[in-house]
Amino acid sequence: MKKYSFRLQKLLDIRIDKEEECKRTFQKVQKDKFEAENKLNDLKNSYKKHNRVEQEDTTIERKMRQQYLSTLSNSINVATTDLEKKIKVVDDVRVELKQKQMDRKTVEILKEKSWQNYLKEQEAIEQKCNDEFALYGFFRNLKGGELSDR
């Protein structure tokens, strides 16, 4: 009986490695996106917290607060733009990951079909051997029966 070997195993291994690498990249960009979302939320919360006008504040305090809020507003705009870029990167990497998974699954399907064909061949070989043994046994019994009949 011959040993089963898949001719495209190296290709399958390469595609699995590429998929794993893409998964790691996806996790990294997703983490970056999550951090950008947290940063944006922190900035927005800080803006809400300092956006109150206090009657007791002096003109200088109001001016400083206004300056701080203006800086926060600019930071929020930058963080929003950064988050949008990170969302796009996550979407791009997600599409790439799906493609790599399809590539791997394609080769795995070929491997499964090849394995099934191998099993069918082995079953056919085994059946042929069993048929030959049965035929030899039949002829042996037939010859033995003829000799005892004479």
Side-chain angles (χ1 to χ4, degrees):
M1 186 184 318
K2 67 178 183 174
K3 181 182 171 199
Y4 173 74
S5 66
F6 181 56
R7 295 180 300 126
L8 301 174
Q9 186 62 44
K10 283 186 180 182
L11 176 64
L12 179 59
D13 293 341
I14 289 169
R15 289 196 175 171
I16 288 172
D17 290 343
K18 285 185 177 185
E19 181 186 354
E20 291 300 318
E21 180 183 334
C22 194
K23 281 181 183 178
R24 286 188 295 275
T25 303
F26 180 71
Q27 288 173 344
K28 181 186 177 298
V29 297
Q30 221 174 11
K31 180 182 173 217
D32 291 346
K33 180 189 134 225
F34 180 72
E35 288 172 357
E37 286 174 341
N38 285 341
K39 179 182 175 184
L40 180 61
N41 288 335
D42 290 345
L43 289 170
K44 286 180 178 179
N45 289 337
S46 182
Y47 187 87
K48 287 177 187 176
K49 178 181 172 184
H50 293 92
N51 196 18
R52 315 174 252 125
V53 176
E54 302 289 332
Q55 296 299 329
E56 305 88 42
D57 287 349
T58 64
T59 308
I60 294 174
E61 289 173 335
R62 287 183 187 169
K63 198 168 220 170
M64 286 175 52
R65 183 186 313 261
Q66 189 60 35
Q67 197 83 37
Y68 179 68
L69 290 175
S70 176
T71 303
L72 270 178
S73 180
N74 288 336
S75 296
I76 289 172
N77 290 338
V78 169
T80 301
T81 304
D82 185 46
L83 178 60
E84 289 170 357
K85 288 178 184 176
K86 290 185 187 289
I87 288 172
K88 182 170 178 5
V89 170
V90 167
D91 290 341
D92 292 345
V93 173
R94 180 179 287 122
V95 168
E96 182 182 350
L97 178 59
K98 284 182 182 179
Q99 182 60 46
K100 296 213 184 294
Q101 286 174 336
M102 285 192 328
D103 292 345
R104 175 191 50 86
K105 286 179 183 178
T106 301
V107 178
E108 282 181 345
I109 289 170
L110 290 174
K111 182 178 182 178
E112 183 62 31
K113 286 182 180 180
S114 173
W115 173 249
Q116 293 301 323
N117 288 338
Y118 171 78
L119 290 178
K120 285 180 184 176
E121 287 176 14
Q122 295 305 312
E123 287 174 7
I125 290 170
E126 187 177 333
Q127 185 62 44
K128 184 177 176 184
C129 286
N130 289 341
D131 291 346
E132 287 179 9
F133 288 140
L135 190 60
Y136 290 142
F138 174 75
F139 281 127
R140 197 175 4 186
N141 288 339
L142 185 63
K143 287 184 179 180
E146 287 178 4
L147 292 175
S148 61
D149 289 342
R150 290 186 186 174

